[in-house]
Amino acid sequence: MNILQIVDVDYWAIGKLSKSIVKHNPHLNFKTIYVHPKHVDEHLLEVSKWISWADIVDFQYWNSARQLMEQLPELHEKKSLLSHHNEKDLLSADWENIALHIAETQYSVGILDNKYPGKVQYTPLAIDLDVFTYNDQLPGTKTVGYVGRIVPWKGLKEIARACFELGYNLKLMGKFDKPDYWASIPPEHQGIIDTEYMECDDSERPNFYKSIDIYVGNSGPGRETGTLPFMEAMASGVPTVTTPSGIAADITEDHENAIVTEFGNYDDLKGNIQLLMEDEALKNSIRIKGWNTIKNFS
């Protein structure tokens, strides 16, 4: 079977997930083309050449899919699937020609199944447990970890403020995506941030989780279906504080396998960071139960 896979960016999270699909399905023939939604016109000829070859078109980003289907009508004649990697744009286009929608959270399932009944498959995100392995011991340096792009909806500013006020270290891994947002973080809060792992090589990512005592995810509602770093932290034996966003809403139980903090509640966020950092028994309990949860998402 020939599958034409359309991905937005090679080296971001969706690109990595897409490569994993290819890796774990060696019995299928894949052709992957990277089409960023801002540069669709540049790839029309290349995509057009591969449409007749494909039995299935695997769209991995909604906005690239929308534009390609508008400009290449021949795509409508192919069986196609669309993976919804965020909760924000589930119904941002008319997807009547999509044969199967891949929904990664129960929230997404509910929205999509109401619009396209019988055409939705729940497939939660998964990670490679041979790469992200359980840490036997935390470093004990009172270090908070944040992973992800530097964008407003991931809530780094509030994490940095809490760590500054609590006297904790803050270590980042990810990408400086929104310079204006980074500049809005007060200089004294930026001063406690360790950026050693920013834009690091993939081979270094597991080591980041070995260098932090807790992981904090502060994403707002209605965007994430992961995040993958939240799952990677659990797999690495790092106890987590998280908002009930994305997969966290589906798999976490507050004070059992994670500490769940309210959206937009700074005092709750700060209190939960302090609680998890200072309570050794709770920290160890959560990291064990976190591993027992995430081992089912390999």
Side-chain angles (χ1 to χ4, degrees), residues 35-106:
V35 183
H36 191 281
K38 292 183 179 179
H39 307 289
V40 169
D41 290 349
E42 300 172 14
H43 300 279
L44 291 176
L45 182 60
E46 182 183 14
V47 173
S48 181
K49 286 180 179 179
W50 286 91
I51 292 175
S52 60
W53 168 86
D55 298 303
I56 292 175
V57 180
D58 171 23
F59 291 112
Q60 289 287 327
Y61 190 68
W62 74 274
N63 203 7
S64 300
R66 176 187 65 81
Q67 295 179 70
L68 287 170
M69 295 186 83
E70 287 176 354
Q71 298 188 58
L72 297 173
E74 57 267 40
L75 281 170
H76 296 193
E77 301 172 9
K78 291 291 181 179
K79 288 184 177 179
S80 58
L81 58 89
L82 172 60
S83 293
H84 294 270
H85 294 293
N86 66 62
E87 296 180 341
K88 178 175 178 284
D89 298 297
L90 295 170
L91 301 179
S92 292
D94 181 359
W95 301 120
E96 290 295 339
N97 286 306
I98 297 292
L100 186 65
H101 295 268
I102 307 302
E104 296 171 348
T105 65
Q106 292 293 350

Side-chain angles (χ1 to χ4, degrees), residues 124-230:
L125 294 175
I127 58 173
D128 191 338
L129 297 178
D130 291 327
V131 173
F132 298 97
T133 57
Y134 192 85
N135 301 334
D136 291 329
Q137 187 171 352
L138 298 172
T141 55
K142 293 191 182 297
T143 300
V144 171
Y146 167 97
V147 183
R149 293 183 293 149
I150 308 301
V151 290
W153 60 87
K154 290 183 180 288
L156 171 62
K157 184 187 295 187
E158 291 75 23
I159 298 173
R161 175 186 168 188
C163 289
F164 175 79
E165 293 176 354
L166 292 167
Y168 298 156
N169 305 305
L170 177 57
K171 185 174 289 191
L172 307 189
M173 178 169 66
K175 176 180 173 61
F176 289 106
D177 200 13
K178 301 290 184 185
D180 290 347
Y181 178 70
W182 174 257
S184 73
I185 299 174
E188 62 269 27
H189 299 176
Q190 290 187 20
I192 68 164
I193 298 176
D194 181 344
T195 59
E196 174 190 0
Y197 281 89
M198 291 301 290
E199 304 195 35
C200 67
D201 187 83
D202 280 352
S203 63
E204 299 178 72
R205 290 172 61 82
N207 292 330
F208 171 85
Y209 296 105
K210 292 179 171 62
S211 71
I212 61 176
D213 293 287
I214 69 172
Y215 168 85
V216 179
N218 190 36
S219 292
R223 281 188 176 267
E224 313 283 10
T225 56
T227 62
L228 287 174
F230 164 69

